[in-house]
Amino acid sequence: MPVTPEQQAEIDELRQATQPTLRAVSPGMEKHLYKAVDVLDHGFVRVIDYMGDDEAICQAARVSYGRGTKSVQNDEGLIRYLMRHWHSTPFEMCEIKLHVKLPVFVARQWIRHRTANVNEYSARYSILDREFYIPRAEDLAAQSVVNNQGRGEALTGEEAERVLRYLKDDAGRAYDHYEEMISDEGQQGLARELARMNLPANIYTQWYWKVDLHNLFHFLRLRADKHAQYEIRVYADAICEMVKDWVPAAYGAFEDYRLGGATLSGKALECIRKMVAGEKVTQETSGMSKGEWREFMGVVGG
Ligand SMILES: Cc1cc2nc3c(=O)[nH]c(=O)nc-3n(C[C@H](O)[C@H](O)[C@H](O)COP(=O)(O)OP(=O)(O)OC[C@H]3O[C@@H](n4cnc5c(N)ncnc54)[C@H](O)[C@@H]3O)c2cc1C
């Protein structure tokens, strides 16, 4: 269960206690504050706090005394300019703090993003819940034959059933032993910090994760990308929806220049110039490797 009824009651209570503030408020983000968005079978992501809005980015860029706003159109133009020219520090003036519940193997990928502040649930101090990520049938895929770092078609029939059974049984058995080892009934009971090593990587953990908008965009560009593993991509997608409401102009620029854009090499640009001039260009004449050419064609739609 992503959020228990007791936890939901706490969230509802927080959302009822409003207070006036002089700080910048993003109406789009206020509607998300504290609410958990379900991700995977037991996970969630929710906004605990945030600082700044689109105006704050412009305010920092102009180093202004007041609100820093000229007009919405002007601000949007400035934000697009900043994004286009990699003038990233104004985006660092906005911050977000998230509470995330996620499987440990997803957390291992996530924690590689070093430019955030993290505090994780302590499995030395607390007992982990019996909650494991078990993929849906359609997400139980075979190894990709074209990409060593990816998956292909969904498993079917007896194989799919067997895999699902192993995942459930192994997790259940490991957790039974974990519980048995930490129990102090009729025995000393193994320390939690040791007993946890028996648990599989699909068990859920939780953390608070705080990051500025510039580094969040970097995270989202890598993890909301179709090459990212599905299990982390669904978290990135959920965060994208929040950021879209929080800083619509900044997110719009990010979506256009980063998610929708592409980085082209000098060779690739030269090919485009030739194509525009009506010249025929092939992989052999492009100076690119086969893999590069395939990716280039994917970008230009050839
Ligand atoms: C599709 C995909 C596949 C991947 N596969 C693998 C894999 O097989 N094995 C593996 O180990 N990792 C893998 N990674 C992780 C990847 O190599 C990065 O560690 C991860 O994406 C975090 O990126 P980052 O370092 O840019 O982010 P952050 O840690 O958030 O850093 C942001 C930026 O800050 C700067 N920075 C931060 N810390 C330092 C530092 N100590 N020194 C210098 N500059 C710094 C860099 O410019 C960096 O780009 C994969 C990632 C993706 C998206």
Side-chain angles (χ1 to χ4, degrees):
M1 186 188 299
V3 175
T4 63
E6 295 76 31
Q7 289 162 344
Q8 187 58 51
E10 281 186 56
I11 292 171
D12 294 343
E13 194 182 329
L14 267 180
R15 283 193 58 83
Q16 274 160 22
T18 60
Q19 45 192 318
T21 177
L22 296 177
R23 294 171 51 205
V25 167
S26 160
M29 192 52 132
E30 291 291 305
K31 74 176 190 207
H32 291 291
L33 209 51
Y34 311 132
K35 286 187 195 168
V37 173
D38 295 355
V39 185
L40 300 179
D41 49 358
H42 300 292
F44 62 71
V45 55
R46 65 192 194 101
V47 185
I48 297 300
D49 206 354
Y50 70 97
M51 181 170 81
D53 56 3
D54 277 331
E55 279 181 31
I57 298 166
C58 300
Q59 196 181 24
R62 296 185 180 116
V63 194
S64 53
Y65 290 84
R67 295 191 66 82
T69 307
K70 291 267 164 71
S71 72
V72 172
Q73 214 174 11
N74 234 322
D75 279 2
E76 203 181 320
L78 173 59
I79 286 174
R80 286 181 63 80
Y81 177 89
L82 298 171
M83 184 69 75
R84 196 161 64 246
H85 294 276
W86 298 92
H87 184 169
S88 49
T89 40
F91 296 100
E92 293 173 19
M93 302 299 159
C94 292
E95 293 220 344
I96 187 169
K97 183 160 65 186
L98 300 170
H99 178 187
V100 192
K101 184 175 169 192
L102 69 176
V104 165
F105 71 92
V106 176
R108 283 196 59 179
Q109 294 189 339
W110 197 310
I111 202 73
R112 300 300 306 280
H113 296 265
R114 297 158 289 178
T115 40
N117 306 107
V118 188
N119 191 62
E120 187 173 5
Y121 183 88
S122 172
R124 296 182 71 192
Y125 182 81
S126 310
I127 298 172
L128 288 163
D129 289 329
R130 186 191 280 269
E131 283 183 322
F132 301 92
Y133 167 61
I134 305 293
R136 296 174 306 181
E138 61 266 39
D139 299 323
L140 267 186
Q143 174 62 40
S144 165
V145 285
V146 287
N147 176 3
N148 284 339
Q149 212 173 40
R151 57 179 82 173
E153 299 288 307
L155 296 181
T156 54
E158 191 278 327
E159 185 181 4
E161 282 172 30
R162 179 162 39 87
V163 166
L164 210 52
R165 194 170 64 246
Y166 284 170
L167 289 174
K168 287 180 185 165
D169 290 356
D170 290 357
R173 190 167 42 250
Y175 195 88
D176 288 345
H177 289 162
Y178 169 71
E179 266 188 325
E180 193 185 313
M181 288 190 285
I182 58 175
S183 168
D184 55 8
E185 277 179 39
Q187 60 178 7
Q188 284 178 289
L190 184 66
R192 289 163 194 173
E193 66 178 16
L194 288 170
R196 64 173 167 175
M197 67 182 158
N198 197 41
L199 294 167
N202 62 340
I203 195 159
Y204 276 84
T205 184
Q206 299 187 35
W207 59 35
Y208 269 34
W209 191 74
K210 182 169 74 68
V211 68
D212 65 61
L213 185 59
H214 165 63
N215 284 296
L216 178 63
F217 278 151
H218 180 62
F219 171 85
L220 294 175
R221 185 164 71 92
L222 294 172
R223 303 302 181 176
D225 185 88
K226 65 177 190 308
H227 296 101
Q229 179 167 349
Y230 166 79
E231 281 78 15
I232 193 164
R233 201 169 66 230
V234 283
Y235 284 92
D237 288 344
I239 297 170
C240 279
E241 291 305 311
M242 295 166 177
V243 179
K244 198 183 284 181
D245 291 338
W246 170 28
V247 280
Y251 187 83
F254 165 70
E255 200 171 33
D256 193 15
Y257 292 118
R258 303 283 185 271
L259 286 184
T263 305
L264 293 176
S265 67
K267 283 183 188 135
L269 270 180
E270 193 49 38
C271 286
I272 290 179
R273 286 189 192 107
K274 285 181 180 166
M275 287 166 169
V276 170
E279 258 183 71
K280 185 169 167 54
V281 191
T282 63
Q283 184 256 315
E284 289 76 15
T285 60
S286 69
M288 292 187 221
S289 69
K290 282 187 179 152
E292 255 185 296
W293 178 257
R294 198 170 45 244
E295 286 168 18
F296 172 62
M297 282 292 121
V299 170
V300 295

